[in-house]
Amino acid sequence: MKRRLGYLAFLVALLAIVAVSVLQTAWTPAESQQSLKPWVLKGLLALAIGSGTYGVYLLLSAGMGRLVHDRRRRHDLRNVVRLVLVIAAIIAVAGVLTDQWLGVLFSLGIVGFGVTVALQQPLTSLLGWVYILSMRPYQVGDRIRIEDAKGDVIDVDFLVTTLWEVEGDLVSSHQPSGRTVTVPNSLILTSEVFNYSRDDFPFVWSEVSMQVSYETDLDFARSVMRAVADEQLGDEMERNVATYREQLAETPVDLEVQDRPSVNVAQGETWVELRLRFLTRPRQIQRTKNALYEEILARFQANPDKVAFPVGRFR
């Protein structure tokens, strides 16, 4: 479809150029309309430039769809091409309409200075977009958090990043809310960015908490939680932690990372909290928590002589 539209745009540009050639020699307007001819010719040339530029963009986009298989890089490359072509087309049209190419470039410099002063925020966002493309703190498809906005990146435009919101004030438990959030790219230069799903290690640690009474056999309860997590996640977690350790070895950070699920203990007012720590993908956190919690609870309930749950108004 894009290729057909691209060829159609080129055809319009070609027809406009042919019309300019024909009218320039064959059209002799009346004396009262002499001033009209230059503007008609310039308008046709501007149409040819605009249509031709649009055709180039469509054909390049179609070519990128076949040659660039990574949809994230294809998205970024398409934005860069679009920006370059728009700037080139604006300069070309301005030059055609004024017949003063050097004057246009000089005027653009003066106007650019004024725009820089008047539109600092949009220009900072544009600079943020350049930073995102070059340093890649995140890209399309990543799950990120910037300030109070958290979600999956669906678009990185020149000025804003658009997220499919996760959690927010409508839902909890790492679930999508159905809303989109628009974040200025300028925030990348002034705020912390949390990326939950980077390409080289798309995993995060999470926890499932279980509250038991002080009468519980803690060794038994912890072994049950570890066993359940090992059955569901153990082997995959071990492989992924090995990758993480390789990356960690390339940094000056000395950090001990367990390659199997572990259970930590925290003291509550009238209960003991057992926190099962495990590794999973960001978009599978809640699903994994549900599966672990249901199985752990079933095994605890099957052993009432070893596991007791706290009761009372403080729970």
Side-chain angles (χ1 to χ4, degrees), residues 173-292:
S173 304
H174 311 282
Q175 300 298 307
S177 69
R179 301 187 301 189
T180 58
V181 182
T182 301
V183 180
N185 290 337
S186 57
L187 287 181
I188 190 69
L189 304 175
T190 58
S191 304
E192 299 89 353
V193 177
F194 298 87
N195 192 328
Y196 298 88
S197 53
R198 53 196 178 91
D199 280 343
D200 53 350
F201 191 74
F203 302 94
V204 293
W205 273 267
S206 188
E207 292 182 343
V208 168
S209 297
M210 302 291 293
Q211 295 177 356
V212 296
S213 69
Y214 280 99
E215 292 76 26
T216 294
D217 183 341
L218 293 183
D219 290 337
F220 173 80
R222 294 176 68 184
S223 66
V224 167
M225 296 178 72
R226 283 195 298 266
V228 171
D230 259 331
E231 293 169 6
Q232 298 187 14
L233 306 169
D235 294 338
E236 182 183 5
M237 178 174 170
E238 187 174 16
R239 291 192 299 269
N240 295 330
V241 170
T243 301
Y244 184 75
R245 285 174 173 169
E246 292 175 1
Q247 297 178 7
L248 202 61
E250 299 175 359
T251 71
V253 178
D254 185 13
L255 183 64
E256 181 181 353
V257 182
Q258 297 190 35
D259 57 4
R260 310 294 290 193
S262 60
V263 179
N264 299 315
V265 180
Q267 181 180 1
E269 295 183 18
T270 60
W271 64 83
V272 177
E273 186 171 359
L274 303 179
R275 299 172 181 171
L276 173 64
R277 177 176 165 85
F278 59 92
L279 187 71
T280 188
R281 294 181 181 274
R283 294 179 180 85
Q284 298 177 359
I285 290 177
Q286 193 57 44
R287 188 189 317 164
T288 304
K289 281 186 173 184
N290 291 342
L292 291 171

Side-chain angles (χ1 to χ4, degrees), residues 49 59 63 65 94 97 114 123 132 137 146 165 204 252 271-272 277 295:
I49 292 171
L59 292 178
L97 294 179
L123 289 176
I132 293 169
I146 305 178
E165 186 186 45
V204 293
W271 64 83
V272 177
R277 177 176 165 85
E295 182 62 26

Side-chain angles (χ1 to χ4, degrees), residues 59 66 73 170 212:
L59 292 178
R66 297 194 310 271
R73 295 191 179 278
L170 296 180
V212 296

Side-chain angles (χ1 to χ4, degrees), residues 46-61:
L47 174 63
I49 292 171
S51 183
T53 302
Y54 185 58
V56 170
Y57 172 72
L58 290 176
L59 292 178
L60 288 177
S61 296

